[in-house]
Amino acid sequence: MTCGESNEVLLVNYSFQDSDPTVREEALPASVTPGRDQKHHTWITDMEMTAEEQQQVEEQVERLLSGQGSEVTVCDVGLEQSKPATLRKNVTYIVCAVIFNEKEEVLMVQEAKPDCYKQWYLPAGRVEVGESLEEAMKREVKEEAGFESEPVTLLLIQEQGPQWIRFIFLAKVTGGSLKSLSAADQESLQASWWDRQSELQLRGRDILRLIESGLKYRLSPCHPVTLPLDLSCRHVVQRLMLVFVGAEEHIWVLLIRAPEPHLPTAAAVRTHAVTWAANMVVQEAMQSAYYDHDVNTLGVLSLQHNGRQNGKTDGVCFNTLVALTPDHVQRDEDGRKVEWTPTGQPPRVEHPRYVWHEVQKQTLREKLLEKTRNAALVPIHSLY
């Protein structure tokens, strides 16, 4: 799209502060040619970024790699398909606590609900309006098991789209006493320590995987301690540190150009997994290359949630590391295999508001390479 006689490229971004997207037009330099024609693609690189902009981008990447976050002020992709997250209306967050004693027995609670009466499960429940994720976890453990507790780290995240997300914490007891039958109420009948060997009627076998994850983390932590950051967000979004590793360990990060170069943020949509947002970004940025590459969300670097204002801060921002890798089996329009020769370069950007930035700082490049190889991150699993 060109802008009259000025030959400037117009970008359309969406304000993240309002429930309805508002168009904000921003001009790129006339030297940038959008789209592609039948003969060649436009390959927009970071040659036009200033040294200061490149430094700021690498500092942002460093912050996220260290487990920090930043306010979500704009949503770059998918906002028109998303509504503000509102607990009890269009999103449900579940917290679950995995707690062990010195014998490596796991804390279990006996259900009081009619549909699972007397069955056993981990302490778990819905986040209430106005609560943070940690506050909800501590409340559930107190109500169902009788203990005061503190989260140690997020173990993993499970989701069925933005409308249902479960946050599993590894936690520890800090006080209180084990709930007995004499204290039975609508929250639970009692709590007990389970040795994982004796027979127990479980409400669901899904918790066995969660318990195993907790045991493995205690034995050998597979990712840094990660707890929710107290930063507000209105929608459920995925912020992408989308990387491409090329020849000789060169590494590129995909950016949005305006209003200043930044990592893309995309809204989760109800019809897909939360991490489908990464696919939406790649489809927009490099449509022709999309089906020749795998978009793999390796895990969560950090997570942002506030939740104090119902309908305004109930959203969650997942700061994720995403790897874009070539599919080594490539096909033509008729599905026939074609010769594929790796170029060692990222696929060409076809949308003018995106740009590849090649990481310059050696120590940052090494950190990114290490993360992409070992994926020492909080896992996020889709249950679709």
Side-chain angles (χ1 to χ4, degrees):
M1 184 191 308
T2 57
C3 182
E5 299 179 356
S6 67
N7 199 33
E8 289 183 331
V9 176
L10 288 180
L11 294 184
V12 177
N13 277 341
Y14 297 100
S15 169
F16 200 67
Q17 305 305 316
D18 302 312
S19 58
D20 295 323
T22 56
V23 177
R24 182 173 75 251
E25 295 182 337
E26 302 181 75
L28 290 180
S31 58
V32 178
T33 306
R36 58 189 179 90
D37 59 27
Q38 295 179 346
K39 296 181 180 180
H40 66 276
H41 301 288
T42 300
W43 192 2
I44 302 176
T45 67
D46 60 3
M47 294 176 63
E48 295 175 19
M49 289 172 57
T50 66
E52 183 180 4
E53 287 175 331
Q54 294 189 38
Q55 182 180 352
Q56 290 173 348
V57 164
E58 298 204 358
E59 288 174 352
Q60 183 182 11
V61 171
E62 289 265 22
R63 286 196 301 272
L64 291 190
L65 283 177
S66 67
Q68 300 178 62
S70 60
E71 291 284 355
V72 179
T73 58
V74 64
C75 183
D76 302 296
V77 177
L79 188 61
E80 70 282 1
Q81 303 177 57
S82 173
K83 293 183 178 180
T86 306
L87 281 178
R88 294 186 175 177
K89 184 178 179 181
N90 61 3
V91 296
T92 297
Y93 301 147
I94 307 295
V95 289
C96 182
V98 182
I99 300 176
F100 299 98
N101 62 14
E102 66 280 357
K103 299 177 184 178
E104 289 197 340
E105 296 170 325
V106 64
L107 183 64
M108 302 286 286
V109 296
Q110 192 174 34
E111 298 282 8
K113 302 181 189 73
D115 60 340
C116 51
Y117 189 69
K118 288 190 175 181
Q119 296 176 353
W120 293 83
Y121 206 71
L122 293 171
R126 296 187 181 193
V127 177
E128 299 294 343
V129 171
E131 284 185 318
S132 71
L133 301 177
E134 292 184 45
E135 288 167 346
M137 187 222 76
K138 290 189 278 189
R139 175 183 52 76
E140 290 291 347
V141 173
K142 179 63 176 176
E143 291 175 350
E144 297 186 351
F147 286 125
E148 305 289 344
S149 64
E150 287 290 336
V152 175
T153 185
L154 278 163
L155 276 178
L156 64 111
I157 299 158
Q158 297 172 321
E159 51 94 358
Q160 293 179 326
Q163 59 270 22
W164 189 94
I165 306 174
R166 180 160 70 167
F167 304 89
I168 297 94
F169 289 89
L170 180 66
K172 62 182 179 181
V173 170
T174 58
S177 58
L178 193 68
K179 186 174 184 177
S180 64
L181 270 173
S182 62
D185 57 20
Q186 64 181 6
E187 302 296 340
S188 70
L189 300 178
Q190 61 178 324
S192 180
W193 294 103
W194 182 39
D195 61 8
R196 310 187 317 283
Q197 303 298 321
S198 57
E199 188 173 336
L200 203 64
Q201 185 181 7
L202 300 179
R203 182 183 123 192
R205 295 182 61 83
D206 60 308
I207 62 172
L208 298 179
R209 180 181 184 181
L210 310 184
I211 294 169
E212 186 65 26
S213 294
L215 287 169
K216 286 181 178 178
Y217 192 93
R218 277 165 57 94
L219 181 65
S220 178
C222 50
H223 58 76
V225 169
T226 305
L227 292 171
L229 303 171
D230 186 10
L231 291 167
S232 63
C233 185
R234 196 166 190 184
H235 296 239
V236 176
V237 302
Q238 181 183 5
R239 180 183 279 138
L240 286 69
M241 189 186 298
L242 191 148
V243 300
F244 182 93
V245 179
E248 298 179 355
E249 297 189 335
H250 289 261
I251 190 162
W252 287 262
V253 179
L254 187 68
L255 304 174
I256 296 280
R257 284 177 165 268
E260 62 276 324
H262 62 277
L263 299 174
T265 298
V269 296
R270 292 180 62 84
T271 53
H272 290 79
V274 169
T275 53
W276 181 255
N279 295 68
M280 293 166 60
V281 168
V282 176
Q283 283 179 323
E284 180 178 80
M286 51 204 86
Q287 185 176 9
S288 297
Y290 174 70
Y291 292 103
D292 296 330
H293 291 77
D294 292 325
V295 184
N296 185 13
T297 296
L298 301 177
V300 175
L301 295 158
S302 59
L303 178 153
Q304 302 174 196
H305 174 261
N306 176 278
R308 294 193 185 94
Q309 293 180 277
N310 189 220
K312 294 185 177 180
T313 64
D314 285 338
V316 177
C317 175
F318 297 97
N319 295 316
T320 59
L321 180 62
V322 182
L324 185 67
T325 56
D327 184 346
H328 295 283
V329 178
Q330 301 202 2
R331 301 178 184 274
D332 63 16
E333 294 177 351
D334 298 317
R336 293 172 298 205
K337 290 184 180 180
V338 296
E339 290 289 330
W340 179 78
T341 304
T343 64
Q345 302 283 337
R348 297 185 177 190
V349 168
E350 298 170 1
H351 196 295
R353 67 171 176 156
Y354 291 92
V355 60
W356 282 113
H357 166 65
E358 184 175 359
V359 177
Q360 302 298 315
K361 190 176 177 182
Q362 178 66 24
T363 54
L364 179 56
R365 189 160 63 242
E366 291 171 355
K367 289 178 184 177
L368 278 169
L369 289 169
E370 178 68 18
K371 284 286 187 184
T372 55
R373 288 167 178 162
N374 298 327
L377 306 163
V378 177
I380 180 166
H381 297 156
S382 173
L383 301 182
Y384 267 122

